[in-house]
Amino acid sequence: MTTSVKTPVSDLAAPPSFTDALRVWARIGVLSFGGPAAQIALMHREIVEERGWLSERQYLNALSFCMLLPGPEAMQLATYAGWRLHGTIGGLAAGLLFVLPGAAVVLGLAGLYAAFGNLPLATSLFLGVKATVVIIVIEALLRISRRALKGWIHWALAGSAFIAIFFLALPFPLIIAAAATVGFLHHDATPIAGAGASMHARPIRTTATTALIWAAVWWLPLLAVALAFDATILPQLALFFSQLAVVTFGGAYAVLAYMAQDVVNHHGWLSAGEMMDGLGLAETTPGPLILVTEFVGYMAAYRAGGISAGVAGAVVTLWATFAPCFLWIFVGAPYIDWIGSKPRLHSALAAITAAVVGVILNLTIWFALHVFFAEVSQLRAGALHLWLPVFGTFDWRAAVLAVACGWLLLYRHWGIAKVLTMAAVTGVALVAATS
């Protein structure tokens, strides 16, 4: 049995060499600050707008697909882009380079945190970084909304998704499922331009083989760790974070609520304050926000056996968190264009993308509140939930830096790396001058 997978013809740039692509994946990995919204924006800018390696439709279809998967959607989107250009080796390169720079930084900061506690220098250094990221996220929101919201129904889905997640705190999977259902039922039967010009077959047995191989890549090392170190905390970490990788949909923010409760209340690996410090470190370093799991793994194992155990705990946690992402993408990626070529399924993906605009707006406001205010509380009144800043904790330094970064990025068109460096240095200087 075979399934036809259609690859659309588009006015794309010539595929880059693997070496050129590696440089871009490494650049994205180093500059991917600010969580999923900023990372999605950065990749869009690098591989769609500036280089034309993916078309707008391919990118948005892939983004919608990744939003349906458990785990970090931005890392999975990077893996898909690498796979699209250079197959499995390209997907591995893009996915690993998206994660490893941030993982190295988080490991170093976790080691320093375990030894010395919270780091004022890191806090001041990343003040400017976070201010820059606010602007990057806002720019992404505007760009993606212009491309994703093509009619009244898309605007309605985006607005409904924002209300559902920001004011009602409804589960992310429910929001995405509802949007997909609306899109599927309210489809446009017009043939999709550029779809289906070329085809190749993907046998079901090939998909099954791919799934078995990557399931083995995920589980066999963890089983080996469990057998070799059964008297340590490592098997517990492997099992907990493997379960987390499967059951948590909606990206890093969905994972955090589930993880924090179990890590603090059930397992007692970290205190609530340490959990928040870990989240702060992950938010201000490059790479997926879900790298906070590495911090948890390090701290839990460090307490049980010192530095070497902490490093082992971080490695086991990283493997359990990110190995499943390659499984999902390498199994599903060949079918994304095929899905996008079917009017009803394409309409469902477009509806998901519209809902994602509302979700990104929610993340934008959430992130901006936590950058500009030292304290943010959540007000609950029945079914309503609302994030409210403590206005007395407003950080004028972050606001000034954000305005300056907005001017440099949006009007002077400086590069992201240059603006991040300037903002980080200025942030350290402002903190030193006002302390």
Side-chain angles (χ1 to χ4, degrees):
M1 179 178 178
T2 61
T3 300
S4 297
V5 183
K6 301 181 180 180
T7 304
V9 173
S10 55
D11 297 328
L12 298 180
S17 69
F18 184 68
T19 302
D20 289 340
L22 275 181
R23 294 192 188 99
V24 174
W25 305 139
R27 170 184 168 84
I28 290 172
V30 170
L31 297 179
S32 57
F33 293 89
Q39 292 154 1
I40 290 166
L42 175 64
M43 282 189 284
H44 185 274
R45 184 171 181 169
E46 293 282 345
I47 65 180
V48 177
E49 294 182 3
E50 294 188 1
R51 292 172 175 83
W53 292 349
L54 267 67
S55 70
E56 190 73 40
R57 186 172 66 83
Q58 289 167 350
Y59 186 85
L60 292 179
N61 281 350
L63 173 59
S64 299
F65 180 80
C66 291
M67 285 288 183
L68 294 171
L69 303 175
E73 64 273 21
M75 180 266 186
Q76 291 166 161
L77 184 59
T79 303
Y80 171 79
W83 174 89
R84 180 92 196 192
L85 295 175
H86 296 107
T88 300
I89 188 65
L92 278 171
L96 290 174
L97 286 172
F98 189 84
V99 171
L100 291 179
V105 175
V106 170
L107 179 61
L109 292 176
L112 292 172
Y113 183 92
F116 304 109
N118 207 353
L119 305 171
L121 177 60
T123 301
S124 60
L125 182 66
F126 290 118
L127 174 67
V129 170
K130 290 190 289 186
T132 307
V133 167
V134 170
I135 303 303
I136 294 173
V137 171
I138 292 172
E139 183 184 30
L141 176 65
L142 295 174
R143 287 180 175 176
I144 292 176
S145 63
R146 281 196 295 267
R147 292 167 172 84
L149 307 182
K150 298 178 180 178
W152 70 266
I153 193 166
H154 290 158
W155 281 94
L157 285 168
S160 299
F162 173 72
I163 292 170
I165 198 166
F166 189 82
F167 291 105
L168 301 177
L170 292 181
F172 179 87
L174 177 62
I175 295 170
I176 294 301
T181 302
V182 170
F184 185 83
L185 296 175
H186 189 276
H187 77 288
D188 184 353
T190 304
I192 300 167
S198 63
M199 299 174 63
H200 67 272
R202 175 81 179 222
I204 294 298
R205 62 180 177 275
T206 302
T207 299
T209 301
T210 301
L212 288 173
I213 289 172
W214 285 99
V217 168
W218 171 17
W219 274 104
L220 289 181
L222 297 180
L223 289 173
V225 167
L227 292 173
F229 302 96
D230 63 317
T232 70
I233 195 175
L234 298 182
Q236 297 177 53
L237 293 174
L239 179 61
F240 176 75
F241 287 105
S242 291
Q243 291 174 334
L244 197 74
V246 173
V247 303
T248 48
F249 292 81
Y253 293 96
V255 173
L256 293 175
Y258 175 94
M259 181 182 67
Q261 183 176 1
D262 272 25
V263 164
V264 175
N265 298 329
H266 180 65
H267 294 288
W269 290 335
L270 274 72
S271 69
E274 289 169 338
M275 188 71 232
M276 291 304 297
D277 288 341
L279 176 57
L281 290 178
E283 281 185 324
T284 53
T285 52
L289 183 57
I290 197 61
L291 281 173
V292 69
T293 60
E294 180 189 12
F295 176 85
V296 173
Y298 181 93
M299 293 297 294
Y302 172 84
R303 291 209 166 97
I307 295 175
S308 60
V311 173
V315 171
V316 166
T317 301
L318 282 173
W319 193 274
T321 299
F322 292 104
C325 297
F326 293 108
L327 168 61
W328 315 142
I329 291 300
F330 291 147
V331 168
Y335 299 95
I336 291 177
D337 282 338
W338 177 81
I339 293 170
S341 71
K342 304 299 180 184
R344 283 189 181 274
L345 298 180
H346 173 77
S347 181
L349 284 180
I352 292 170
T353 304
V356 166
V357 171
V359 173
I360 293 176
L361 176 58
N362 165 70
L363 297 182
T364 302
I365 295 173
W366 186 90
F367 186 70
L369 286 173
H370 285 79
V371 169
F372 297 136
F373 297 89
E375 295 182 27
V376 180
S377 60
Q378 190 177 47
L379 176 66
R380 299 186 181 185
L384 293 177
H385 297 68
L386 183 63
W387 290 101
L388 292 174
V390 178
F391 290 99
T393 65
F394 177 71
D395 191 339
W396 64 268
R397 300 166 302 185
V400 168
L401 285 169
V403 171
C405 292
W407 181 67
L408 293 173
L409 279 172
L410 303 178
Y411 293 99
R412 295 297 301 274
H413 303 293
W414 280 26
I416 292 176
K418 188 176 180 180
V419 175
L420 282 171
T421 302
M422 181 280 299
V425 172
T426 307
V428 171
L430 279 175
V431 171
T434 56
S435 298

